[in-house]
């Protein structure tokens, strides 16, 4: 039986369990679009290709399976590059499919032709042009394998329109098979166990790779079995279920924050799933603690991160084996626990002040979001406050990007979460700068009938850069702008818009929005004077003169 390349591609995607594809097709994808129309796959049409990539990457982050996005050639394909970097640095499995003019003959010379495969190579784990329909099942299977294996990330496949339209016969699909990751070597486990049992002041750190869906339950059990207090990196939040009473904070800054009182006193840090792509949660130095690196892959040795021993393998099962060696045999497991109450109380200080401070907004949002509810952050000053102050109880319920840290991802990532989990409360938190970078996706959210609350924090500026400008004692210049009327803006898309002018109305407004369902935009002012009071003045005495940590 003769089969077109486009039909083979879509059949191969179905074979991988793909249920939806995000993107904006072009004329070079029309055969593929027709194949999707007759398939079980949903085409989620977005208003910008960058948003499609953010959505596909977030699908990968939340499920562990590659999300898929599609664009045309040239300009459409190049609009994926930020999303590709987002997935590469953030270790999110994703497949990008782009079109191209015919390669067997050329009727349009160089019109719109860019070497997209070459452009994508440094931004992906693998980038390939498909030159024969017979190769499609093999290349798709390989793409999904590469995207999903540790360390996960994006893969790019370019399908020229003539290859998509070409017919061939007798090409079988390749069935996926389960892949079990290797376990850590017994010698490495023994070495780590000896260090842990001998430690005077042990501390656990949970990093980005600890939040992979496959490992979180084993991680919680490891913490409970050892009784060692833990802190998290920004992207490691939520990896241990709440209620352990062993959480000691999140490293939102690199040094000298309150959580660093425990970090600086530790003589051993067991670093679980740390990925040095994150902004450093602590700085290693010659006088610092010993570090045991537990990860899927060996540590990237950096000037500020050079662990003394490593436990490499599937994190969850490897931690089970490590707990078997140390459970009940760590006499000083809780040595740093007395610091917990003081650290958490100072981080949570002034969280109920009658102002639109970051602490109050984080506090109130936590009140209306259930344990499995998802908050997706864009990038701005508020991200530091959420990292420090927002307590998570379930893995991947605070979606922040501490890797590429790009603006514009908050709304699309929240939309992907709302599509995946329609029964859970989902909120996007965006600054007015980041929101306007992909605000056109409001139309997509309304068209898809999503249940989604979008919180827009208004300060009329690129607030984080403006804060840095002030901290470094530059004049206040070039960072302010005007905004649309966000209530009318939301209503123009068919969403509901509300402006909250009194802080006491914030929680009731959020509750009404979640109860009503649909897409709601809630605009609030934000008082960023706390940035200077807490993150500069309070911490300045904890720093060498003239230095502010970030």
């Amino acid at each position: 039986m003769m089969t077109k390349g486009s039909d083979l591609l879509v059949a191969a995607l179905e074979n991988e369990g793909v249920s939806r594809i995000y993107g904006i097709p072009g004329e070079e994808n029309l055969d593929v679009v027709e194949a999707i129309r007759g398939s079980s796959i949903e085409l989620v049409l977005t208003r910008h290709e960058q948003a499609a990539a953010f959505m596909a990457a977030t699908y990968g982050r939340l499920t562990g399976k590659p999300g898929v996005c599609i664009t045309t050639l040239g300009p459409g394909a190049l609009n994926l590059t930020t999303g590709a970097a987002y997935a590469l640095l953030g270790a999110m499995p994703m497949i990008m499919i782009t079109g191209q003019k015919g390669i067997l003959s050329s009727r349009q010379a160089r019109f719109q032709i860019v070497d997209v495969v070459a452009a994508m190579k440094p931004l992906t784990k693998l980038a390939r042009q498909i030159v024969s329909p017979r190769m499609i099942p093999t290349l798709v299977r390989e793409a999904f394998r590469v995207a999903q294996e540790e360390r996960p990330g994006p893969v790019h496949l370019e399908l020229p329109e003539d290859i998509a339209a070409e017919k061939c016969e007798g090409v079988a699909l390749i069935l996926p098979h389960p892949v079990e990751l290797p376990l850590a070597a017994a010698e490495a486990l023994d070495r780590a166990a000896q260090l842990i049992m001998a430690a005077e002041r042990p501390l656990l750190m949970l990093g980005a790779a600890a939040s992979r869906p496959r490992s979180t339950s084993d991680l919680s059990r490891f913490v409970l079995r050892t009784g060692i207090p833990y802190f998290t990196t920004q992207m490691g939040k939520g990896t241990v279920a709440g209620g352990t009473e062993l959480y000691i904070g999140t490293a939102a800054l690199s040094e000298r924050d309150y959580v660093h009182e425990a970090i600086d006193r530790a003589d051993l840090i067991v670093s679980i799933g740390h990925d040095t792509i994150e902004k450093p949660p602590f700085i290693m130095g010659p006088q610092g603690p010993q570090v045991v690196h537990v990860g899927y892959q060996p540590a990237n040795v950096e000037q500020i991160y050079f662990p003394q021993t490593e436990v490499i393998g599937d994190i969850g099962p490897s931690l089970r084996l490590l707990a078997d060696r140390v459970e009940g045999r760590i006499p000083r497991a809780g040595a740093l626990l007395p610091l917990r109450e003081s650290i958490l109380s100072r981080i949570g200080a002034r969280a109920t002040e009658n102002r639109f401070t970051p602490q109050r907004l984080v506090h109130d949002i936590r009140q209306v979001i259930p344990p499995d509810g998802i908050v997706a952050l864009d990038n701005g000053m508020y991200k530091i406050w959420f990292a420090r102050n927002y307590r998570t109880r379930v893995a991947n319920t605070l979606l922040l990007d501490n890797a590429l840290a790009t603006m514009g991802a908050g709304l699309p990532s929240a939309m992907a979460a709302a599509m995946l989990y329609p029964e859970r409360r989902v909120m996007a938190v965006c600054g007015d700068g980041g929101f306007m970078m992909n605000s056109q996706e409001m139309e997509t959210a309304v068209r898809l009938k999503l249940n989604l609350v979008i919180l827009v924090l208004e300060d009329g500026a690129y607030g984080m850069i403006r804060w840095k400008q002030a901290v470094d004692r530059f004049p206040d210049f070039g960072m302010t702008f005007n905004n649309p009327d966000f209530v009318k803006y939301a209503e123009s898309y068919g969403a509901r818009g509300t402006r909250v002018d009194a802080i006491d109305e914030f929680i009731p407004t959020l509750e009404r929005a979640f109860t009503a369902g649909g897409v709601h935009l809630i605009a609030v002012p934000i008082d960023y004077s706390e940035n200077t009071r807490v993150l500069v003045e309070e911490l300045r005495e904890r720093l060498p003169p003239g230095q502010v940590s970030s």
Side-chain angles (χ1 to χ4, degrees), residues 87 128 140 407 501 529 535:
R128 293 283 297 273
V140 170
M407 298 172 74
D501 293 312
S529 63
L535 302 180

Side-chain angles (χ1 to χ4, degrees), residues 108-358:
Q108 296 194 34
R110 302 295 298 172
F111 176 64
Q112 284 197 307
I113 292 180
V114 175
D115 190 344
V116 177
V117 174
M120 286 292 185
K121 278 191 183 297
L123 301 174
T124 58
K125 296 181 72 179
L126 176 71
R128 293 283 297 273
Q129 183 185 68
I130 300 173
V131 298
S132 164
R134 299 187 66 84
M135 294 178 63
I136 288 173
T138 304
L139 286 177
V140 170
R141 176 80 282 271
E142 178 68 356
F144 275 77
R145 182 191 69 80
V146 170
Q148 199 164 349
E149 72 180 9
E150 287 292 335
R151 184 176 178 270
V155 170
H156 170 234
L157 294 177
E158 180 179 83
L159 181 61
E161 60 181 334
D162 52 358
I163 305 302
E166 187 177 340
K167 293 183 178 181
C168 66
E169 61 180 344
V171 182
L173 300 178
I174 300 172
L175 291 176
H177 61 275
V179 177
E180 303 301 332
L181 298 178
L183 299 181
E187 294 83 354
L189 290 162
D190 290 341
R191 194 161 51 243
Q194 290 300 320
L195 287 170
I196 292 169
M197 291 185 292
E200 297 286 336
R201 296 173 302 281
L203 188 60
L204 306 179
M205 183 185 84
L206 312 179
S211 65
R212 306 275 197 270
R214 63 185 295 146
S215 65
T216 53
S217 60
D218 286 317
L219 193 55
S220 292
R221 282 193 289 270
F222 178 78
V223 171
L224 291 170
R225 290 177 69 185
T226 62
I228 301 173
Y230 70 92
F231 73 100
T232 76
T233 68
Q234 294 189 41
M235 293 179 76
K237 286 182 74 74
T239 45
V240 171
T244 65
E245 300 303 316
L246 292 168
Y247 170 73
I248 211 163
T250 295
L253 307 177
S254 295
E255 57 187 341
R256 304 303 184 191
D257 201 354
Y258 295 117
V259 71
H260 291 92
E261 290 183 6
I263 295 169
D264 292 344
R265 293 190 198 183
D267 67 329
L268 177 73
I269 294 178
V270 182
S271 171
I272 302 171
H274 181 42
D275 190 332
T276 54
I277 213 72
E278 279 207 78
K279 208 163 188 177
F282 68 97
I283 308 293
M284 285 187 71
Q287 308 304 316
Q290 288 193 295
V291 174
V292 176
H293 174 87
V294 180
Y296 291 105
Q297 293 182 309
N300 291 327
V301 174
E302 306 281 354
Q303 186 177 356
I304 54 171
Y305 187 74
F306 41 90
Q308 281 81 13
T309 191
E310 304 191 28
V311 176
I312 307 304
D314 196 351
I315 285 179
S318 295
L319 287 175
R320 259 181 271 154
L321 296 173
L322 184 55
D324 289 342
R325 285 163 165 79
V326 300
E327 186 174 12
R329 302 173 66 190
I330 315 172
R332 293 167 292 278
L336 293 173
L337 261 182
L339 298 174
R340 177 178 189 267
E341 186 176 342
S342 171
I343 291 170
L344 295 183
S345 65
R346 280 182 288 173
I347 286 172
R350 299 169 73 164
T352 55
E353 280 193 346
N354 196 32
R355 296 188 290 148
F356 285 93
T357 63

Side-chain angles (χ1 to χ4, degrees), residues 97-108:
I97 298 168
T98 64
Q100 188 54 278
K101 297 292 184 189
I103 56 172
L104 302 180
S105 64
S106 175
R107 295 174 59 84
Q108 296 194 34

